[in-house]
Amino acid sequence: MTEDFEMEAAVSLDAMIKRHIAALSATSEAVREWDERRAAGDVTNVAYSNALLEVTKEEEAARLRIVQHQPCDDRESGLKLAYIAAYLFATGGSLKQDEMEAVMRTAEPFT
């Protein structure tokens, strides 16, 4: 477990953002593909649910890594806040209360 934490700490915020964007793209692609297959009558709700669940889990995990990431300097703190704001704006979504608190807490030393 400690090894996983150390490995995660070594991953840059830039890499985490790229993973999250890839996960968002995969989620979007899964929805688009399901729409096409559904229109053709080729997919069941169970198959769609399973596929969407997998990509949604990856997107959530990637987003949470960013939310919990402790920036190492002002640049990273600004990047993290800007990325979270852009994500929320683009998706029209929101963070859970504990996620928002984590974002603010980890950015605090630099704001």
Side-chain angles (χ1 to χ4, degrees), residues 4-106:
D4 289 342
F5 178 75
E6 290 171 2
M7 183 182 235
E8 189 62 44
V11 175
S12 73
L13 180 59
D14 294 330
M16 287 183 220
I17 288 172
K18 287 177 184 175
R19 284 183 188 164
H20 186 240
I21 291 169
L24 286 168
S25 294
T27 301
S28 177
E29 180 63 25
V31 171
R32 184 195 58 76
E33 185 178 320
W34 179 77
D35 281 342
E36 290 174 359
R37 288 185 175 191
R38 184 181 50 85
D42 293 342
V43 70
T44 66
N45 287 338
V46 173
Y48 167 69
S49 296
N50 289 337
L52 192 55
L53 180 62
E54 282 304 310
V55 294
T56 302
K57 282 182 183 179
E58 178 55 34
E59 184 279 326
E60 180 180 27
R63 179 177 41 81
L64 289 176
R65 282 191 290 274
I66 294 168
V67 164
Q68 296 169 352
H69 176 71
Q70 178 64 54
C72 63
D73 58 23
D74 286 335
R75 183 200 73 81
E76 256 198 5
S77 182
L79 177 61
K80 176 179 176 173
L81 292 173
Y83 181 76
I84 294 292
Y87 162 77
L88 295 174
F89 182 74
T91 63
S94 62
L95 296 178
K96 296 175 187 168
Q97 182 66 31
D98 60 327
E99 293 172 346
M100 182 58 78
E101 289 170 4
V103 167
M104 298 311 295
R105 184 177 54 255
T106 59

